[in-house]
């Protein structure tokens, strides 16, 4: 079955902006809320020391618009990790991202910039980080949306955070919390326990 046009638009935008992915994993469930989700892997290059993960498939449908602020809308997830990772870590991160991507459709809620989600265990390859902060662009040239024939698809950065960071984040507006994180730590690496 051919991919919906909105997913082809996202895929083509990723290719145009970042080139061809190095690897990818496919998650499929013909009876699930997302029948197929791909997690693309971009490994470090001479230009960047980050391994980047991007989902394609979440935007096949709009997320629920309630409860919570925001309009639901379409989105895809992105996560970056400093350095080269093992294949096992890449696979574990892809599984965690696939589970996050299906979450809004399985629960009837939405994911949006500024949300924090507890995981109950360390995020793969991010020791000490048992929650995630969902953020907009983390730099001036960061991707916020991909324009598609179905309208904009929001790019949600998944930032693993520690329990202490999560507690502090609850005291700040999301934009201030994102800046606080960026000012004090390397959000693309695990934290020391």
């Amino acid at each position: 079955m051919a991919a919906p046009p909105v997913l082809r638009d996202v895929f083509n935008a990723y290719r145009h902006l970042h080139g061809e992915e190095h690897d990818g994993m496919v998650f499929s469930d013909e009876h699930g809320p997302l029948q197929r989700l791909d997690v693309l892997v971009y490994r470090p290059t001479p230009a960047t020391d980050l391994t980047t993960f991007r989902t394609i498939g979440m935007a096949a449908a709009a997320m629920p618009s309630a409860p919570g602020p925001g309009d639901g809308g379409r989105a895809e997830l992105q996560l970056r990790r400093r350095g080269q990772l093992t294949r096992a870590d890449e696979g574990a991160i892809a599984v965690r991202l696939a589970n996050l991507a299906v979450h809004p459709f399985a629960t009837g809620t939405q994911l949006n910039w500024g949300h924090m989600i507890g995981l109950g265990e360390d995020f793969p390859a991010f020791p000490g980080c048992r929650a995630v902060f969902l953020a907009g662009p983390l730099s001036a040239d960061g991707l916020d949306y991909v324009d598609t024939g179905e309208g904009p698809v929001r790019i949600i950065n998944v930032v693993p955070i520690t329990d202490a960071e999560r507690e502090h984040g609850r005291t700040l507006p999301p934009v201030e919390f994102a800046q606080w994180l960026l000012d004090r730590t390397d959000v693309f690496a695990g934290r020391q326990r």
Side-chain angles (χ1 to χ4, degrees):
M1 180 178 196
V6 65
L7 299 184
R8 285 196 306 270
D9 290 348
V10 170
F11 178 78
N12 288 333
Y14 286 168
R15 279 272 171 102
H16 176 74
L17 293 169
H18 307 288
E20 188 170 342
E21 68 279 2
H22 295 107
D23 206 348
M25 288 138 229
V26 177
F27 300 90
S28 58
D29 180 355
E30 66 182 59
H31 303 294
L34 296 177
Q35 293 184 359
R36 176 181 169 144
L37 182 90
D38 292 70
V39 179
L40 305 181
V41 180
Y42 301 80
R43 295 190 179 109
T45 67
T48 180
D49 68 343
L50 297 172
T51 300
T52 301
F53 298 81
R54 293 187 176 100
T55 65
I56 296 182
M58 187 177 173
M63 290 183 286
S65 60
D71 62 354
R74 296 174 191 265
E76 294 290 353
L77 304 177
Q78 174 176 270
L79 178 132
R80 292 180 286 172
R81 174 64 162 94
R82 190 160 312 285
Q84 186 78 32
L85 299 171
T86 66
R87 296 278 177 146
D89 281 341
E90 287 179 357
I93 289 172
V95 166
R96 179 64 68 168
L97 290 177
N99 287 336
L100 281 171
V102 79
H103 177 80
F105 305 101
T107 64
T109 60
Q110 60 177 289
L111 298 179
N112 209 337
W113 296 341
H115 290 182
M116 288 188 282
I117 301 168
L119 305 172
E121 62 186 15
D122 283 357
F123 195 98
F126 286 85
C129 296
R130 297 168 19 102
V132 293
F133 173 62
L134 305 181
L138 296 171
S139 64
D141 60 348
L143 187 61
D144 55 356
Y145 289 90
V146 170
D147 289 321
T148 73
E150 295 292 326
V153 172
R154 184 179 325 115
I155 303 302
I156 298 174
N157 286 283
V158 177
V159 180
I161 57 176
T162 66
D163 291 342
E165 289 166 346
R166 184 179 185 202
E167 285 303 312
H168 186 71
R170 290 178 172 151
T171 69
L172 297 172
V175 171
E176 288 181 29
F177 178 56
Q179 191 59 56
W180 180 84
L181 278 173
L182 291 169
D183 288 345
R184 73 173 292 275
T185 191
D186 181 358
V187 297
F188 306 119
R191 312 302 188 276
Q192 297 301 318
R193 291 184 189 265

